Short mmCIF file of all heavy atoms in Angstrom, two decimals:
data_model
loop_
_atom_site.label_atom_id
_atom_site.label_comp_id
_atom_site.label_asym_id
_atom_site.label_seq_id
_atom_site.Cartn_x
_atom_site.Cartn_y
_atom_site.Cartn_z
N LYS A 1 -71.16 -54.08 105.16
CA LYS A 1 -71.61 -54.71 103.92
C LYS A 1 -71.60 -53.73 102.76
O LYS A 1 -71.19 -54.06 101.63
CB LYS A 1 -73.03 -55.27 104.12
CG LYS A 1 -73.59 -55.98 102.90
CD LYS A 1 -74.99 -56.52 103.18
CE LYS A 1 -75.57 -57.22 101.95
NZ LYS A 1 -76.95 -57.74 102.23
N ILE A 2 -72.01 -52.50 103.02
CA ILE A 2 -72.07 -51.48 101.96
C ILE A 2 -70.68 -50.93 101.64
O ILE A 2 -70.30 -50.84 100.48
CB ILE A 2 -73.01 -50.32 102.39
CG1 ILE A 2 -74.45 -50.84 102.52
CG2 ILE A 2 -72.95 -49.17 101.38
CD1 ILE A 2 -75.40 -49.83 103.13
N PHE A 3 -69.93 -50.58 102.67
CA PHE A 3 -68.63 -49.93 102.47
C PHE A 3 -67.52 -50.91 102.09
O PHE A 3 -66.60 -50.59 101.36
CB PHE A 3 -68.24 -49.18 103.74
CG PHE A 3 -66.99 -48.37 103.63
CD1 PHE A 3 -66.88 -47.36 102.68
CD2 PHE A 3 -65.91 -48.61 104.47
CE1 PHE A 3 -65.72 -46.60 102.58
CE2 PHE A 3 -64.75 -47.86 104.38
CZ PHE A 3 -64.65 -46.86 103.42
N GLN A 4 -67.61 -52.14 102.60
CA GLN A 4 -66.64 -53.21 102.34
C GLN A 4 -65.20 -52.79 102.65
O GLN A 4 -64.34 -52.76 101.77
CB GLN A 4 -66.75 -53.69 100.89
CG GLN A 4 -68.09 -54.31 100.56
CD GLN A 4 -68.13 -54.93 99.18
OE1 GLN A 4 -67.12 -55.16 98.53
NE2 GLN A 4 -69.33 -55.23 98.71
N PRO A 5 -64.93 -52.48 103.91
CA PRO A 5 -63.56 -52.08 104.28
C PRO A 5 -62.59 -53.25 104.23
O PRO A 5 -62.97 -54.40 104.46
CB PRO A 5 -63.73 -51.59 105.72
CG PRO A 5 -64.89 -52.41 106.24
CD PRO A 5 -65.83 -52.53 105.07
N ARG A 6 -61.34 -52.95 103.91
CA ARG A 6 -60.29 -53.97 103.96
C ARG A 6 -59.73 -54.07 105.37
O ARG A 6 -59.33 -55.14 105.82
CB ARG A 6 -59.17 -53.60 102.97
CG ARG A 6 -57.97 -54.56 103.00
CD ARG A 6 -58.36 -55.96 102.59
NE ARG A 6 -57.22 -56.86 102.69
CZ ARG A 6 -56.83 -57.48 103.80
NH1 ARG A 6 -57.48 -57.28 104.94
NH2 ARG A 6 -55.79 -58.29 103.79
N TYR A 7 -59.72 -52.91 106.07
CA TYR A 7 -59.20 -52.86 107.44
C TYR A 7 -60.19 -52.14 108.35
O TYR A 7 -60.77 -51.11 107.96
CB TYR A 7 -57.85 -52.13 107.50
CG TYR A 7 -56.77 -52.78 106.69
CD1 TYR A 7 -56.43 -52.30 105.42
CD2 TYR A 7 -56.08 -53.90 107.18
CE1 TYR A 7 -55.44 -52.90 104.67
CE2 TYR A 7 -55.09 -54.51 106.42
CZ TYR A 7 -54.77 -54.01 105.17
OH TYR A 7 -53.80 -54.62 104.41
N ILE A 8 -60.38 -52.68 109.54
CA ILE A 8 -61.20 -52.03 110.56
C ILE A 8 -60.33 -51.77 111.78
O ILE A 8 -59.66 -52.68 112.28
CB ILE A 8 -62.41 -52.90 110.96
CG1 ILE A 8 -63.35 -53.11 109.76
CG2 ILE A 8 -63.17 -52.26 112.12
CD1 ILE A 8 -64.53 -54.03 110.07
N ILE A 9 -60.32 -50.52 112.23
CA ILE A 9 -59.57 -50.15 113.43
C ILE A 9 -60.59 -49.86 114.53
O ILE A 9 -61.39 -48.93 114.41
CB ILE A 9 -58.69 -48.92 113.20
CG1 ILE A 9 -57.76 -49.14 112.01
CG2 ILE A 9 -57.87 -48.60 114.45
CD1 ILE A 9 -56.98 -47.90 111.59
N ILE A 10 -60.58 -50.66 115.58
CA ILE A 10 -61.54 -50.47 116.68
C ILE A 10 -60.86 -49.69 117.80
O ILE A 10 -59.88 -50.14 118.39
CB ILE A 10 -62.06 -51.82 117.22
CG1 ILE A 10 -62.68 -52.65 116.09
CG2 ILE A 10 -63.09 -51.57 118.31
CD1 ILE A 10 -63.28 -53.97 116.54
N ASN A 11 -61.39 -48.50 118.06
CA ASN A 11 -60.78 -47.59 119.04
C ASN A 11 -61.61 -47.51 120.32
O ASN A 11 -61.85 -46.42 120.86
CB ASN A 11 -60.65 -46.20 118.40
CG ASN A 11 -59.95 -46.25 117.06
OD1 ASN A 11 -58.82 -46.68 116.97
ND2 ASN A 11 -60.64 -45.84 116.01
N LEU A 12 -62.04 -48.66 120.80
CA LEU A 12 -62.88 -48.73 122.00
C LEU A 12 -62.08 -49.33 123.15
O LEU A 12 -60.94 -49.78 122.97
CB LEU A 12 -64.13 -49.57 121.73
CG LEU A 12 -64.97 -49.18 120.52
CD1 LEU A 12 -66.17 -50.11 120.38
CD2 LEU A 12 -65.45 -47.73 120.62
N GLY A 13 -62.66 -49.37 124.31
CA GLY A 13 -61.99 -49.91 125.48
C GLY A 13 -61.83 -51.42 125.43
O GLY A 13 -62.59 -52.13 124.77
N GLY A 14 -60.80 -51.89 126.15
CA GLY A 14 -60.59 -53.33 126.26
C GLY A 14 -61.74 -54.00 126.98
O GLY A 14 -62.35 -53.42 127.87
N GLY A 15 -62.05 -55.21 126.57
CA GLY A 15 -63.17 -55.93 127.17
C GLY A 15 -64.44 -55.80 126.35
O GLY A 15 -65.36 -56.60 126.49
N ILE A 16 -64.47 -54.80 125.47
CA ILE A 16 -65.59 -54.60 124.55
C ILE A 16 -65.11 -54.77 123.11
O ILE A 16 -65.73 -55.47 122.32
CB ILE A 16 -66.22 -53.20 124.71
CG1 ILE A 16 -66.99 -53.13 126.04
CG2 ILE A 16 -67.17 -52.90 123.55
CD1 ILE A 16 -68.22 -54.02 126.10
N GLN A 17 -63.98 -54.14 122.78
CA GLN A 17 -63.51 -54.16 121.39
C GLN A 17 -63.23 -55.58 120.90
O GLN A 17 -63.52 -55.92 119.74
CB GLN A 17 -62.28 -53.28 121.23
CG GLN A 17 -61.10 -53.69 122.08
CD GLN A 17 -59.89 -52.80 121.85
OE1 GLN A 17 -59.85 -52.01 120.92
NE2 GLN A 17 -58.87 -52.94 122.70
N GLU A 18 -62.70 -56.43 121.76
CA GLU A 18 -62.40 -57.80 121.35
C GLU A 18 -63.69 -58.59 121.07
O GLU A 18 -63.74 -59.38 120.13
CB GLU A 18 -61.59 -58.51 122.44
CG GLU A 18 -60.25 -57.87 122.72
CD GLU A 18 -60.29 -56.76 123.77
OE1 GLU A 18 -61.41 -56.39 124.19
OE2 GLU A 18 -59.23 -56.27 124.16
N LEU A 19 -64.71 -58.34 121.88
CA LEU A 19 -66.00 -59.00 121.67
C LEU A 19 -66.64 -58.52 120.38
O LEU A 19 -67.26 -59.29 119.65
CB LEU A 19 -66.93 -58.72 122.86
CG LEU A 19 -66.41 -59.06 124.25
CD1 LEU A 19 -67.46 -58.74 125.30
CD2 LEU A 19 -66.01 -60.53 124.34
N LEU A 20 -66.50 -57.22 120.11
CA LEU A 20 -67.05 -56.65 118.88
C LEU A 20 -66.32 -57.22 117.66
O LEU A 20 -66.95 -57.53 116.64
CB LEU A 20 -66.94 -55.13 118.92
CG LEU A 20 -67.49 -54.38 117.69
CD1 LEU A 20 -68.98 -54.66 117.52
CD2 LEU A 20 -67.23 -52.89 117.82
N ALA A 21 -65.01 -57.36 117.76
CA ALA A 21 -64.23 -57.93 116.66
C ALA A 21 -64.67 -59.35 116.34
O ALA A 21 -64.82 -59.73 115.17
CB ALA A 21 -62.75 -57.90 117.00
N LEU A 22 -64.90 -60.14 117.39
CA LEU A 22 -65.37 -61.52 117.20
C LEU A 22 -66.74 -61.52 116.55
O LEU A 22 -67.01 -62.33 115.65
CB LEU A 22 -65.40 -62.24 118.55
CG LEU A 22 -65.92 -63.68 118.55
CD1 LEU A 22 -65.10 -64.56 117.61
CD2 LEU A 22 -65.89 -64.26 119.96
N TYR A 23 -67.60 -60.61 116.99
CA TYR A 23 -68.95 -60.48 116.41
C TYR A 23 -68.87 -60.15 114.92
O TYR A 23 -69.58 -60.74 114.09
CB TYR A 23 -69.72 -59.41 117.17
CG TYR A 23 -71.05 -59.02 116.56
CD1 TYR A 23 -72.17 -59.83 116.70
CD2 TYR A 23 -71.18 -57.82 115.85
CE1 TYR A 23 -73.39 -59.47 116.14
CE2 TYR A 23 -72.39 -57.45 115.29
CZ TYR A 23 -73.49 -58.27 115.44
OH TYR A 23 -74.71 -57.91 114.88
N ILE A 24 -68.01 -59.21 114.57
CA ILE A 24 -67.85 -58.81 113.17
C ILE A 24 -67.34 -59.99 112.34
O ILE A 24 -67.84 -60.27 111.26
CB ILE A 24 -66.89 -57.62 113.04
CG1 ILE A 24 -67.49 -56.37 113.69
CG2 ILE A 24 -66.57 -57.34 111.57
CD1 ILE A 24 -66.52 -55.21 113.81
N LYS A 25 -66.33 -60.66 112.87
CA LYS A 25 -65.74 -61.79 112.14
C LYS A 25 -66.77 -62.88 111.87
O LYS A 25 -66.81 -63.45 110.77
CB LYS A 25 -64.56 -62.36 112.94
CG LYS A 25 -63.88 -63.54 112.24
CD LYS A 25 -62.72 -64.08 113.06
CE LYS A 25 -62.10 -65.29 112.37
NZ LYS A 25 -60.96 -65.86 113.12
N LYS A 26 -67.60 -63.15 112.85
CA LYS A 26 -68.60 -64.21 112.71
C LYS A 26 -69.72 -63.84 111.75
O LYS A 26 -70.40 -64.72 111.22
CB LYS A 26 -69.20 -64.56 114.08
CG LYS A 26 -68.27 -65.38 114.97
CD LYS A 26 -68.98 -65.75 116.26
CE LYS A 26 -68.13 -66.69 117.10
NZ LYS A 26 -68.83 -67.07 118.37
N ASN A 27 -69.90 -62.54 111.54
CA ASN A 27 -71.07 -62.09 110.76
C ASN A 27 -70.71 -61.41 109.44
O ASN A 27 -71.55 -60.75 108.83
CB ASN A 27 -71.91 -61.14 111.61
CG ASN A 27 -72.64 -61.85 112.73
OD1 ASN A 27 -73.68 -62.48 112.52
ND2 ASN A 27 -72.08 -61.78 113.92
N THR A 28 -69.47 -61.57 109.00
CA THR A 28 -69.07 -61.05 107.70
C THR A 28 -68.35 -62.14 106.91
O THR A 28 -67.74 -63.04 107.49
CB THR A 28 -68.12 -59.83 107.85
OG1 THR A 28 -67.02 -60.18 108.68
CG2 THR A 28 -68.85 -58.64 108.44
N GLU A 29 -68.44 -62.03 105.60
CA GLU A 29 -67.84 -63.05 104.75
C GLU A 29 -66.59 -62.56 104.04
O GLU A 29 -65.75 -63.36 103.65
CB GLU A 29 -68.88 -63.51 103.70
CG GLU A 29 -70.11 -64.16 104.31
CD GLU A 29 -71.13 -64.56 103.26
OE1 GLU A 29 -70.89 -64.27 102.06
OE2 GLU A 29 -72.15 -65.18 103.61
N LYS A 30 -66.46 -61.28 103.84
CA LYS A 30 -65.31 -60.72 103.14
C LYS A 30 -64.04 -60.83 103.97
O LYS A 30 -64.09 -60.93 105.19
CB LYS A 30 -65.57 -59.25 102.80
CG LYS A 30 -66.73 -59.01 101.84
CD LYS A 30 -66.35 -59.36 100.41
CE LYS A 30 -67.47 -59.00 99.45
NZ LYS A 30 -67.12 -59.27 98.04
N LYS A 31 -62.90 -60.78 103.29
CA LYS A 31 -61.61 -60.78 103.97
C LYS A 31 -61.37 -59.42 104.60
O LYS A 31 -61.16 -58.43 103.89
CB LYS A 31 -60.50 -61.11 102.97
CG LYS A 31 -59.09 -61.13 103.57
CD LYS A 31 -58.07 -61.44 102.49
CE LYS A 31 -56.65 -61.40 103.04
NZ LYS A 31 -55.64 -61.71 102.00
N ILE A 32 -61.43 -59.35 105.91
CA ILE A 32 -61.24 -58.10 106.63
C ILE A 32 -60.21 -58.33 107.75
O ILE A 32 -60.27 -59.34 108.45
CB ILE A 32 -62.55 -57.59 107.27
CG1 ILE A 32 -63.64 -57.45 106.21
CG2 ILE A 32 -62.33 -56.26 107.98
CD1 ILE A 32 -65.00 -57.10 106.80
N SER A 33 -59.31 -57.39 107.90
CA SER A 33 -58.36 -57.42 109.02
C SER A 33 -58.82 -56.40 110.05
O SER A 33 -58.99 -55.22 109.73
CB SER A 33 -56.95 -57.08 108.52
OG SER A 33 -56.49 -58.04 107.60
N ILE A 34 -59.02 -56.86 111.28
CA ILE A 34 -59.57 -56.02 112.34
C ILE A 34 -58.51 -55.81 113.42
O ILE A 34 -57.95 -56.78 113.94
CB ILE A 34 -60.82 -56.69 112.97
CG1 ILE A 34 -61.83 -57.06 111.88
CG2 ILE A 34 -61.45 -55.76 114.00
CD1 ILE A 34 -62.96 -57.96 112.37
N LEU A 35 -58.25 -54.56 113.73
CA LEU A 35 -57.22 -54.22 114.72
C LEU A 35 -57.89 -53.70 115.99
O LEU A 35 -58.51 -52.63 115.98
CB LEU A 35 -56.27 -53.16 114.17
CG LEU A 35 -55.68 -53.42 112.78
CD1 LEU A 35 -54.73 -52.29 112.40
CD2 LEU A 35 -54.98 -54.77 112.71
N CYS A 36 -57.77 -54.43 117.08
CA CYS A 36 -58.30 -54.00 118.38
C CYS A 36 -57.16 -53.29 119.13
O CYS A 36 -56.54 -53.87 120.01
CB CYS A 36 -58.80 -55.20 119.18
SG CYS A 36 -60.15 -56.09 118.40
N THR A 37 -56.91 -52.06 118.76
CA THR A 37 -55.78 -51.34 119.35
C THR A 37 -56.24 -50.27 120.34
O THR A 37 -55.42 -49.47 120.82
CB THR A 37 -54.91 -50.71 118.25
OG1 THR A 37 -55.75 -50.04 117.28
CG2 THR A 37 -54.10 -51.78 117.52
N GLY A 38 -57.51 -50.24 120.66
CA GLY A 38 -58.02 -49.41 121.75
C GLY A 38 -57.60 -47.96 121.72
O GLY A 38 -57.91 -47.22 120.78
N ALA A 39 -56.87 -47.54 122.75
CA ALA A 39 -56.50 -46.13 122.91
C ALA A 39 -55.30 -45.73 122.05
O ALA A 39 -54.90 -44.56 122.07
CB ALA A 39 -56.18 -45.85 124.37
N ALA A 40 -54.73 -46.65 121.29
CA ALA A 40 -53.51 -46.34 120.53
C ALA A 40 -53.69 -45.14 119.62
O ALA A 40 -52.81 -44.26 119.55
CB ALA A 40 -53.08 -47.56 119.72
#
């Protein structure tokens, strides 16, 4: 909310990062692109 990122890169393990991305999407209003690319 404070930083207002345009892009979020989630560098966590599979099975968690996707759930976190869904949580973020449901709880933010701004246009944000979230990349669940894990170990990449």
Side-chain angles (χ1 to χ4, degrees):
K1 181 179 179 180
I2 295 171
F3 185 59
Q4 297 187 15
R6 177 63 182 84
Y7 299 100
I8 296 177
I9 305 172
I10 304 183
N11 308 300
L12 307 180
I16 289 293
Q17 60 179 349
E18 298 88 353
L19 306 181
L20 181 61
L22 178 58
Y23 171 77
I24 294 171
K25 181 180 178 179
K26 285 184 174 180
N27 289 280
T28 54
E29 297 178 356
K30 297 284 185 178
K31 179 181 177 180
I32 304 174
S33 297
I34 307 169
L35 310 182
C36 298
T37 46

